[in-house]
Amino acid sequence: MGRLTLIIGGARSGKSQFALKIGEKLGKDRILVATARATDPEMEARILKHKLERGPLWETFEEPLDVVSLLGSLPAGTHVVVIDCITVLLSNLMIEKMYEDEELLREIESLTSAIHESRFSVIAVANEVGMGLVPAEPLGRRFRDLAGMANQRLAEVADEVFLVTAGIPLCLKKGGDST
């Protein structure tokens, strides 16, 4: 059965680096699932920088929409998968698929099922977006609310949950505790 570690934090908090660090301890066959799209030159440069930082220890699969199917098709022998990031996946589904709220939350439920049915450990990275200003526009508020609900659903079923801030991880849940 697959094991889920959820790592949440703000932008540039160090959550992705922490996820990779954990993943490198879990096995040699490592996969990173990148959900971002290179939509402009600045984003292309970010993606390239992240690939170079990971180096040859990680095989990268770019999947902005259908992470559930990708997880089911990964090669046998995979030890660990890092999904970076859930928040971008939600944004992609909201904007590109125009999913309604319940469809988005069902997608998160499908993702948690796929993780638990998998044969590898999954480390999911997500942004904590609810600690800032209330967005001025309805779409921004909807996104913030859905990201918060998705994080709660993932945290509920996760074996471990960490909050990373200023590069420092804080364990919120260990070993399947629900506290």
Side-chain angles (χ1 to χ4, degrees), residues 17 20 24 28 30-32 47-61:
Q17 289 77 18
L20 295 175
E24 288 170 6
K28 293 180 182 175
R30 305 172 188 123
I31 292 176
L32 182 119
I47 290 170
L48 179 59
K49 180 181 177 220
H50 286 297
K51 283 182 184 177
L52 294 173
E53 287 172 351
R54 283 191 301 275
L57 297 177
W58 291 87
E59 183 177 359
T60 300
F61 287 79

Side-chain angles (χ1 to χ4, degrees), residues 96-148:
E96 293 181 41
K97 294 276 192 169
M98 300 186 69
Y99 278 0
E100 295 297 325
D101 295 4
E102 285 307 312
E103 290 174 298
L104 286 165
L105 295 174
R106 275 195 301 275
E107 191 71 23
I108 294 299
E109 297 295 334
S110 295
L111 180 60
T112 61
S113 293
I115 290 168
H116 285 296
E117 292 168 7
S118 73
R119 59 201 177 281
F120 40 76
S121 294
V122 174
I123 303 167
V125 177
N127 289 307
E128 175 52 69
V129 298
M131 297 173 80
L133 299 173
V134 174
E137 299 296 322
L139 181 61
R141 290 189 296 275
R142 177 178 174 233
F143 173 73
R144 180 216 42 204
D145 292 348
L146 285 165

Side-chain angles (χ1 to χ4, degrees), residues 37 39 64-65 91-99:
R37 288 187 189 264
T39 55
L65 297 169
S91 175
N92 293 343
L93 292 170
M94 277 180 73
I95 294 168
E96 293 181 41
K97 294 276 192 169
M98 300 186 69
Y99 278 0

Side-chain angles (χ1 to χ4, degrees), residues 6 109 150-159 161 173 176-178:
L6 175 63
E109 297 295 334
N151 286 348
Q152 286 183 55
R153 289 183 183 197
L154 287 163
E156 181 180 353
V157 299
D159 299 286
V161 179
K173 179 180 178 183
D177 292 343
S178 60

